[in-house]
Amino acid sequence: MTRTPRDRPERPGKPAVRLGRAGKKVPVPADDTVIIHGAVPPRDILMRFIADNPDKASKRDISKAFGLKGEARVELKALLRELEEEGMLEKKRKSLVRPGALPPVTVLDITTRDKDGELIGRPAEWPEDAGVAPAVAIRQSAVGKAKGKTPVGGLGDRVLAKIFPSKDRAGPAYTARIVKVLDRKRSGNAALGVFRASPGGGGRIMPIEKRGEELQVDAGHEGDAQDGDLVEVEIARLGRFGLPRAQVKSVIGSVATEKAISMIAIHAHGIPYIFPDSVIREAEAAGPMTMSHREDWRSLPLVTIDPADAKDHDDAVHAEPDPSPENPGGVIVTVAIADVSWYVRPKSALDHEALKRGNSVYFPDRVVPMLPERISNELCSLKQGVDRPALAVRMRFSKEGRKAGHTFHRIMMKSAAKLSYSQAQAAIDGTPDDQTGPLLEPILKPLWDAYRILTRGRERRQPLELNMPERKIILKPDGTVDRVFVPDRLDAHKLIEEMMIQANVAAAETLEIKRQPLVYRIHDAPSLAKQESLRAFLATLDLSLVKGGNLRSNHFNGILSKAEGQPYETMVNEMVLRSQSQAIYSPENIGHFGLNLMKYAHFTSPIRRYADLIVHRALVGTLGFGEGGITPAEEAALNDIAAEISTFERRAMAAERDTVDRLIAHYLSGRVNEEFDGRVSGVTKSGLFVTLPAYGADGFVPISTLGRDYFIYDEAHQALSGEKTGLGYRLGDPVRVKLVEAVPLAGALRFDMLSEGRKMPTATRSFHKSGRRDRSGARKMPGTRPSRGSR
């Protein structure tokens, strides 16, 4: 799939300071408002101070920090009272906090680990009506571990912790340092696995993680587990010899049943998948929409264009020539999005559950939706010929693709047609069917005319244009893989994508103009370290990447165009993708590097993304569209909400990826010892990752199986090269491999390399840094051991 993102703004650095009247340093907000020592600060600076200093946020602390005396303290008191009445602050003991904020010292339950292995905790006590409890990253000092000065927690422990606002936008909103371990989990850590029964009782637990290990279940400790059940266990004892012992805690279900593979990922990643009764009752009781604050657009022939198997339709489009003489050759593009904010109100059970999930999760065999089907597939699905409430944006573009203006509307609409991508494309390509034939001239051709105009603007904008095809898995009725293929990338897909991007931009621009807080979708430029790593790699291909801090997406596009049609095209696309930062949600805007846009927010899919729902509420509130607007409490909690939904997005991506890996491993498990064409997709010190393009699967080739040479890891060239022969393997190399092992439950494949290595460029061989490895993978230097590779 080709991925996309105007000029990127300067990155904000640390908050500036300005000397006040008394020579004190005080913070200066983003709009360069001068904060004078001794004067009551503006609301945004005051809220920022309280968020950053949760343990020093009493009225006395605030007065001292800003040098307030006399009348200024009276003014501060009135301002704080006003913020409390608006719901922006609340009082806890003597301190003021943002609603939903954690106190400076909190009792946490350590529940899981993130992708880097760091512990994640959540408050042990959290009100049900306050939404999802915020995640807290536990920071444990290596020095503290060694010297025993800092208490060390583990999974399942309950701890007393000091809470700090996080400086990492991509992670949880809080970090914590453990003060005391209150209750250490006596039986060790919990784990998931598949129970395999032994004839005499007991059995073993087969791992579902690629790096997991088997566990022994003694007779009498298997509970109600039957052979083949997916179970949750407690690791009861870790001995020096033999397998670790475990006890079955609960049975999740049989792995032999349909959809079991995705259930493993759902449980392993802690994804909520059962709606509470209160949420279902609220969804079923949802009342009919009204015309209050709505414009009647039911005569406008909006159409939905989605995948053929889509069950919900939350966006509709329309285009027509702009009749204004001031915009000759221009077009008007309308995008209408289901009005989820009408049905899902702040602090409702539906809202709490939606925030708890963050987004819908899509597996090959099922969808775990953010909202119940009564909302997502019925009331908020823009069905053909049915009245539906929506938020619409009407955008005017010049014939050069420049936006001349836009307006938002709360409407009642009626979809004129439900079309699939392939159906709409076929009509444009000359083979309309009975449904699209009558729509071709009045609806479809104007849409494609508008798309061609939007494409001119896109080409001028130059978003990042990676060529990374996405594979789709088709399953059989029993839930196993039928086939894997790369769907065609049609102009119909690109049309909808570009119109949605422009609608998202319009939402961000409108809210900024209104000075309405919102959640942006931001994407930072590649870090300097990643830039240098990519630059060194490209140099080995005689390709160069411009140096300096003003790097833009079009610089990467220049590299990609030079690699097009070359043997290393796939490799370069892969490395450029790896160099990119991860897009996240944030109330602070730094622009979207990949799309090359200064202002961008997610507006177009509130059925499946909580970020879009927040943007809808912000638009409803600031534009005076009636009920369902954003509340002061939500505005105060945007930092926490953005951190949470960014975390849940990564959780969903990991679960989806793990499920695909397991499905493909199941699919190939009956083809052990067969040979396949592959491509080197990763190079580590301990071996090679090889992708099978025909299946979208990847497996590992240990360095110990590559040959009788010493292999050196060359990071700059992304290669393993033989010390004696100079032959080796490089990222992107086409290779022939044999499948020697498949572990379906863990989604792991292991290959033997059949292809001879090719002559490698001369590598910088610093044995003190990379070391030499023999056939076993061990370094030749005494006293060292090989590190495990990672994808």
Side-chain angles (χ1 to χ4, degrees):
M1 177 178 177
T2 303
R3 300 198 182 272
T4 54
R6 235 154 72 177
D7 294 339
R8 185 172 169 271
E10 295 296 323
R11 287 188 57 194
K14 293 183 178 179
V17 295
R18 187 183 300 279
L19 291 179
R21 288 177 181 170
K24 302 281 188 177
K25 287 185 175 181
V26 294
V28 175
D31 61 1
D32 204 37
T33 302
V34 178
I35 307 304
I36 301 175
H37 189 71
V40 176
R43 293 161 63 106
D44 57 340
I45 297 302
L46 183 58
M47 293 295 293
R48 186 192 305 173
F49 176 84
I50 292 171
D52 292 343
N53 301 276
D55 55 343
K56 296 180 180 180
S58 67
K59 293 177 184 177
R60 179 180 295 179
D61 291 327
I62 296 170
S63 296
K64 185 177 180 181
F66 290 94
L68 307 183
K69 297 179 181 179
E71 288 297 321
R73 298 189 69 168
V74 175
E75 188 180 343
L76 172 69
K77 186 175 181 180
L79 176 57
L80 292 174
R81 187 185 304 112
E82 182 182 318
L83 290 169
E84 284 187 69
E85 291 172 352
E86 292 177 2
M88 302 288 283
L89 292 175
E90 61 183 31
K91 188 179 292 183
K92 286 189 177 180
R93 296 190 177 96
K94 293 184 179 181
S95 288
L96 292 153
V97 298
R98 292 176 297 117
L102 293 181
V105 178
T106 303
V107 176
L108 302 176
D109 287 332
I110 302 177
T111 56
T112 187
R113 294 183 184 272
D114 64 15
K115 62 183 178 63
D116 299 319
E118 294 288 340
L119 294 171
I120 300 294
R122 294 186 184 270
E125 295 184 2
W126 190 255
E128 288 187 6
D129 61 355
V132 62
V136 183
I138 311 293
R139 305 303 184 202
Q140 302 199 105
S141 168
V143 175
K145 291 178 183 178
K147 296 185 178 180
K149 292 182 179 180
T150 302
V152 178
L155 282 175
D157 290 350
R158 175 164 288 187
V159 301
L160 185 68
K162 180 76 172 174
I163 304 297
F164 306 92
S166 176
K167 297 178 181 179
D168 180 11
R169 289 194 303 265
Y174 299 94
T175 61
R177 176 175 53 81
I178 296 174
V179 176
K180 183 179 180 181
V181 178
L182 300 177
D183 184 16
R184 197 174 292 281
K185 192 168 183 179
R186 292 172 296 175
S187 298
N189 298 334
L192 286 176
V194 175
F195 178 70
R196 294 302 182 191
S198 297
R204 292 193 177 186
I205 304 297
M206 309 306 293
I208 62 170
E209 301 294 337
K210 292 183 178 180
R211 297 183 181 181
E213 59 180 337
E214 289 186 31
L215 303 172
Q216 178 71 46
V217 177
D218 293 332
H221 289 178
E222 64 270 38
D224 297 326
Q226 302 295 318
D227 188 72
D229 279 349
L230 176 66
V231 297
E232 184 180 13
V233 301
E234 275 190 355
I235 303 173
R237 182 166 60 83
L238 295 170
R240 292 184 61 187
F241 306 103
L243 294 175
R245 293 300 200 266
Q247 181 174 346
V248 175
K249 288 177 58 182
S250 62
V251 177
I252 296 170
S254 172
V255 295
T257 59
E258 185 181 354
K259 299 187 177 182
I261 298 300
S262 56
M263 283 302 298
I264 292 176
I266 288 169
H267 282 271
H269 292 276
I271 294 173
Y273 70 102
I274 298 175
F275 285 107
D277 291 341
S278 59
V279 175
I280 297 298
R281 285 196 301 268
E282 202 168 272
E284 293 299 327
M289 66 285 186
T290 70
M291 289 299 296
S292 174
H293 292 85
R294 293 191 190 279
E295 301 172 46
D296 190 344
W297 284 21
R298 284 174 286 188
S299 61
L300 185 70
L302 290 151
V303 297
T304 62
I305 305 178
D306 294 291
D309 56 354
K311 294 182 179 179
D312 55 62
H313 310 276
D314 58 354
D315 57 81
V317 293
H318 177 265
E320 60 185 336
D322 189 349
S324 173
E326 298 177 359
N327 188 26
V331 293
I332 297 176
V333 174
T334 301
V335 173
I337 306 297
D339 189 0
V340 179
S341 64
W342 175 260
Y343 295 103
V344 183
R345 302 294 178 88
K347 290 197 171 182
S348 64
L350 278 167
D351 182 48
H352 291 153
E353 186 67 18
L355 178 54
K356 183 179 177 181
R357 296 174 180 230
N359 48 253
S360 298
V361 188
Y362 293 85
F363 299 106
D365 59 347
R366 72 167 75 203
V367 176
V368 179
M370 185 180 79
L371 296 168
E373 288 189 8
R374 161 83 171 153
I375 301 295
S376 60
N377 291 10
E378 292 295 329
L379 297 177
C380 289
S381 184
L382 306 181
K383 295 186 175 183
Q384 180 176 330
V386 180
D387 291 358
R388 286 289 183 256
L391 283 185
V393 57
R394 179 169 280 168
M395 301 171 285
R396 295 172 57 242
F397 294 90
S398 70
K399 62 182 179 181
E400 292 84 17
R402 300 181 189 276
K403 191 169 72 175
H406 69 265
T407 55
F408 277 89
H409 308 261
R410 203 172 198 183
I411 68 169
M412 188 70 73
M413 61 162 286
K414 183 186 292 186
S415 173
K418 181 188 77 170
L419 305 177
S420 68
Y421 287 116
S422 57
Q423 190 181 14
Q425 188 68 55
I428 288 294
D429 291 341
T431 55
D433 57 23
D434 292 341
Q435 183 184 19
T436 56
L439 304 176
L440 186 58
E441 293 296 331
I443 296 176
L444 293 180
K445 285 189 176 181
L447 279 172
W448 257 258
D449 291 341
Y451 167 60
R452 281 187 283 271
I453 285 176
L454 293 181
T455 300
R456 294 168 194 159
R458 179 188 178 93
E459 290 171 349
R460 183 171 55 254
R461 193 176 82 237
Q462 281 280 298
L464 183 60
E465 299 281 10
L466 286 166
N467 182 20
M468 303 293 293
E470 292 188 356
R471 282 163 179 78
K472 185 172 183 178
I473 297 177
I474 302 299
L475 301 180
K476 299 175 183 177
D478 63 357
T480 59
V481 176
D482 181 24
R483 59 193 176 97
V484 183
F485 71 103
V486 178
D488 293 332
R489 176 75 168 155
L490 307 173
D491 282 347
H493 294 101
K494 299 174 186 178
L495 178 151
I496 295 298
E497 181 181 86
E498 192 60 29
M499 289 184 177
M500 296 305 116
I501 287 173
Q502 294 301 328
N504 289 337
V505 172
E509 290 176 345
T510 292
L511 294 174
E512 272 205 6
I513 291 171
K514 294 290 186 178
R515 296 184 177 274
Q516 167 64 50
L518 71 147
V519 172
Y520 294 91
R521 180 65 166 178
I522 63 172
H523 181 221
D524 207 350
S527 66
L528 292 177
K530 287 185 176 181
Q531 288 183 37
E532 288 305 317
S533 178
L534 176 62
R535 196 171 283 116
F537 167 74
L538 292 174
T540 67
L541 301 173
D542 294 325
L543 298 173
S544 60
L545 180 66
V546 65
K547 289 188 176 183
N550 197 26
L551 198 65
R552 294 183 180 177
S553 54
N554 63 306
H555 294 125
F556 290 100
N557 288 340
I559 297 296
L560 296 171
S561 64
K562 290 178 182 178
E564 190 173 356
Q566 301 296 324
Y568 48 75
E569 178 183 2
T570 302
M571 176 170 50
V572 170
N573 274 269
E574 186 87 29
M575 290 300 291
V576 170
L577 176 62
R578 293 183 187 186
S579 72
Q580 302 302 304
S581 302
Q582 186 166 8
I584 61 171
Y585 295 106
S586 172
E588 297 178 10
N589 186 27
I590 63 168
H592 197 296
F593 178 82
L595 291 174
N596 203 8
L597 292 166
M598 293 182 68
K599 300 166 187 173
Y600 193 68
H602 274 165
F603 159 76
T604 54
S605 198
I607 282 178
R608 61 183 181 91
R609 293 186 305 227
Y610 195 82
D612 304 55
L613 179 55
I614 289 290
V615 169
H616 274 234
R617 288 174 177 167
L619 288 165
V620 168
T622 197
L623 297 177
F625 282 164
E627 300 177 51
I630 195 169
T631 65
E634 282 183 292
E635 292 179 1
L638 285 184
N639 276 297
D640 296 345
I641 291 172
E644 287 291 296
I645 59 181
S646 295
T647 301
F648 296 154
E649 180 185 46
R650 293 193 296 274
R651 176 182 70 183
M653 291 168 63
E656 291 166 357
R657 183 178 59 247
D658 288 353
T659 298
V660 169
D661 287 346
R662 290 188 176 102
L663 283 169
I664 296 297
H666 269 277
Y667 183 55
L668 296 177
S669 60
R671 303 180 64 178
V672 172
N673 293 323
E674 286 190 30
E675 298 180 8
F676 300 89
D677 289 321
R679 177 178 57 82
V680 177
S681 58
V683 182
T684 72
K685 294 179 180 180
S686 52
L688 303 170
F689 285 98
V690 174
T691 294
L692 308 183
Y695 304 99
D698 66 293
F700 193 62
V701 180
I703 197 170
S704 59
T705 66
L706 286 180
R708 305 185 64 86
D709 204 344
Y710 297 113
F711 283 87
I712 299 169
Y713 173 54
D714 182 357
E715 184 175 7
H717 291 77
Q718 284 293 291
L720 287 176
S721 56
E723 182 187 39
K724 296 179 180 179
T725 63
L727 300 178
Y729 306 90
R730 190 177 183 181
L731 184 72
D733 280 353
V735 292
R736 187 76 174 172
V737 294
K738 181 170 75 172
L739 177 62
V740 294
E741 184 180 6
V743 185
L745 293 175
L749 303 173
R750 186 168 66 83
F751 299 125
D752 274 352
M753 180 65 71
L754 301 178
S755 298
E756 287 288 334
R758 64 186 181 91
K759 195 69 176 178
M760 290 288 105
T762 303
T764 302
R765 300 172 184 178
S766 173
F767 298 114
H768 293 289
K769 292 184 178 179
S770 60
R772 296 184 293 174
R773 296 176 182 272
D774 57 20
R775 291 184 63 216
S776 67
R779 295 178 187 262
K780 291 194 71 178
M781 294 182 293
T784 61
R785 297 172 60 190
S787 61
R788 299 178 69 178
S790 62
R791 288 166 51 181

